[in-house]
Amino acid sequence: MSSAPSGVRAGSGRTLRLLRGAARLLAAAGLAWDAYLHAHLAPQYDVVTASISQGDLFRIEAGLASLAALLVLVWQRLPGDLFAWSVAAGGLALLLIYRYVDVGQLGPIPDMYEPIWYGDKKLAVLAEAIAVVATVFLLITHPWAVRRRGRRRAGRRARRT
């Protein structure tokens, strides 16, 4: 008797593990590159301030991305994958918002509108996008999600008969 979840071929377990491993490496690499870029650029943005400087926000992003990369590689649990997705997706969303929308100063957060593309910003978008796609794959192929989809399919089949 196969122990594979309903709707998943028995031989696909090894392939899925390999794909999930590759996704973990891609997510960690994207997050690590994001962390490096933000740490590297932080001193240049220390002059953009309100109550907190944009450089400090870059350092916070670098720390969060570093932690997320570590969690995705070492802990390999759903909460870590969710954290990694939120860091990558949040960073990407904020980068794109501040590229295209002049939000202005929001309380202690400085006006970070920067309507230009340059090399490091393009690399940050690429790194964050790779991390988002990889973590989405990890989330939708997580054993919990696969089992849940299998139970739903089994329930639909049982109702049809």
Side-chain angles (χ1 to χ4, degrees), residues 19-156:
L19 288 173
R20 285 180 54 80
R24 285 198 182 283
L25 290 174
L26 279 173
L31 287 160
W33 188 248
D34 179 45
Y36 165 76
L37 287 171
H38 278 87
H40 173 71
L41 293 172
Q44 298 172 33
Y45 286 93
D46 281 333
V47 297
V48 181
T49 63
S51 294
I52 187 168
S53 77
Q54 187 172 350
D56 289 337
L57 293 172
F58 273 34
R59 288 179 188 91
I60 291 168
E61 169 69 14
L64 291 172
S66 297
L67 176 60
L70 185 64
L71 289 174
V72 129
L73 281 178
V74 177
W75 195 32
Q76 298 186 10
R77 300 285 187 272
L78 183 61
D81 295 347
L82 284 168
F83 179 74
W85 174 83
S86 67
V87 169
L92 180 60
L94 287 172
L95 191 151
L96 293 174
I97 287 169
Y98 282 111
R99 163 57 180 89
Y100 292 108
V101 180
D102 188 357
V103 176
Q105 182 176 333
L106 296 172
I109 298 174
D111 182 2
M112 297 188 290
Y113 179 60
E114 191 176 44
I116 59 169
W117 286 108
Y118 54 91
D120 285 340
K121 186 184 275 191
K122 291 176 184 176
L123 289 173
V125 166
L126 180 62
E128 289 170 341
I130 287 169
V132 167
V133 170
T135 54
V136 164
F137 178 79
L138 290 172
L139 293 172
I140 64 174
T141 61
H142 189 275
W144 168 82
V146 171
R147 281 192 304 269
R148 187 173 179 178
R149 280 192 300 273
R151 283 192 302 264
R152 273 192 257 150
R153 285 186 191 123
R156 281 194 296 259

